[in-house]
Amino acid sequence: MPRPFVAYLRVYEPLPVIDAPLRQRVEEALRTRNLDPADAGDRERELWLRAQLAVPPRLLPGELADGSPAPNAPVDVLVLDPAEVPTGGDEVDETGGEAEDPAEVGPGPLVCPLDVRPRSAAALVGFLATAPVPLREFVLPVSADAVRARASAVMSELTSGAVHVVSSTWTVPLPWFALVDPDSRQVVLAPQDDPRRRVCWRMAMADARRRVSRAYGVVRKAIGEDGPAKVLRDTGRWLEHFHPHSAVELDYGGLVQLLDDAQLLADTSAHDVHAAVDALEAGDVDEVAELYERLRDFWADVAERERFN
């Protein structure tokens, strides 16, 4: 079975800043389980299917039949060493001055709880907003108002106020590339059905915040608050929930199954998005149009697969 066709934006926080009792459960998870990012999508799918196959079915993974959190539900955690996170100290600041000091990351280990239950709750709210009423009534065992109330209660349980992972099916939102250093891309080539196959970027939280703030200011001034600017604004607000010495990861996840080696190696999406922001700032409309067309052409094949499914 292929991995879910999902891309991820993840935050890894220093373990000491995680609030108790979640930190105790994370520490226990680190002692008993070792989840690889390549397995995260399969793990999330497994937890969801278990919830639906339970008797009676659960609305969300990791909860009891009455909707309360299951006390023995596993905490799945991804781990990152601060040494694996590039920092942007070699970049010139936005005023054209000297290079900034490298951002601080850590201490380690850096941990990213998958937060499957609250993420599922948020996804259900999104489903309510987009699905036709007959489909909602067929799929959901409770009313829309009950789903919203449950989702609100689940999200309120998050000590940080936000999930550590946001995801996108079938594509990578182009504004996400504004967070990364295009030259820090990591590519692992393996057969397309091999879980070791991977494309990702890692960055210090301070660098991600600085880049998204700059991109948002440029895009908002050039084309207004909607579209890409809204994604950048919402992403920046999400990052503010976490410790400033955290790390951020953009991972193509299961999308690498849809692109062959030549396509992965030829992918210039991150460079093109950064160049488009520069062109917007300079008022070079023709350059922006050319870069957008290149980005659209690259991701067209993936978009077609979504329509076929």
Side-chain angles (χ1 to χ4, degrees):
M1 181 182 295
R3 285 179 284 161
F5 301 117
V6 179
Y8 303 94
L9 198 59
R10 303 185 180 105
V11 171
Y12 293 76
E13 288 193 285
L15 179 59
V17 309
I18 302 289
D19 290 338
L22 176 58
R23 184 169 66 249
Q24 297 174 345
R25 300 183 67 196
V26 168
E27 290 172 343
E28 175 63 22
L30 296 179
R31 288 192 294 268
T32 59
R33 289 183 296 277
N34 186 17
L35 186 65
D36 188 278
D39 301 324
D42 286 334
R43 177 60 174 164
E44 293 167 0
R45 177 168 56 192
E46 174 193 351
L47 293 173
W48 178 261
L49 289 175
R50 284 185 180 181
Q52 299 308 299
L53 295 175
V55 181
R58 310 305 195 240
L59 182 64
L60 299 171
E63 65 180 20
L64 302 176
D66 63 1
S68 60
N72 60 345
V75 174
D76 292 293
V77 183
L78 302 177
V79 185
L80 190 61
D81 188 325
E84 300 177 78
V85 182
T87 56
D90 58 341
E91 297 181 11
V92 176
D93 70 22
E94 303 307 329
T95 64
E98 295 181 355
E100 300 177 355
D101 292 333
E104 185 174 346
V105 179
L110 303 174
V111 296
C112 176
L114 293 189
D115 295 332
V116 174
R117 183 166 176 259
R119 287 170 55 210
S120 298
L124 276 180
V125 173
F127 174 75
L128 289 176
T130 58
V133 173
L135 178 60
R136 284 164 30 187
E137 294 179 346
F138 177 79
V139 170
L140 296 175
V142 297
S143 69
D145 288 341
V147 170
R148 293 188 183 96
R150 179 81 64 82
S152 178
V154 170
M155 294 301 292
S156 69
E157 297 169 6
L158 291 168
T159 55
S160 66
V163 294
H164 288 77
V165 184
V166 292
S167 58
S168 173
T169 56
W170 294 100
T171 191
V172 178
L174 295 180
W176 285 7
F177 290 109
L179 279 66
V180 310
D181 173 1
D183 294 327
S184 69
R185 182 177 68 156
Q186 300 180 30
V187 181
V188 179
L189 297 180
Q192 285 180 258
D193 60 352
D194 190 324
R196 293 173 297 175
R197 184 179 181 85
R198 195 177 189 208
V199 172
C200 71
W201 288 260
R202 292 165 180 160
M203 65 226 80
M205 175 63 76
D207 293 333
R209 288 176 178 172
R210 173 176 49 77
R211 292 177 187 134
V212 76
S213 176
R214 184 248 174 172
Y216 170 62
V218 171
V219 174
R220 180 187 61 179
K221 182 178 180 180
I223 62 177
E225 288 279 1
D226 296 328
K230 182 180 185 302
V231 177
L232 290 165
R233 182 186 69 235
D234 292 346
T235 303
R237 289 175 177 174
W238 173 64
L239 295 177
E240 290 294 334
H241 283 90
F242 303 101
H243 194 276
H245 296 166
S246 301
V248 185
E249 180 179 67
L250 170 55
D251 187 351
Y252 275 18
L255 299 187
V256 294
Q257 301 165 111
L258 304 175
L259 301 165
D260 61 31
D261 289 1
Q263 289 173 309
L264 288 183
L265 293 174
D267 176 18
T268 59
S269 297
H271 284 94
D272 291 345
V273 167
H274 280 253
V277 172
D278 292 341
L280 277 174
E281 190 172 39
D284 191 339
V285 178
D286 292 339
E287 177 71 4
V288 173
E290 181 180 338
L291 290 164
Y292 176 75
E293 182 177 357
R294 188 156 68 200
L295 287 160
R296 182 191 59 191
D297 290 346
F298 179 81
W299 290 102
D301 183 57
V302 177
E304 289 178 1
R305 291 170 187 260
E306 179 182 14
R307 287 194 293 270
F308 295 153
N309 283 270

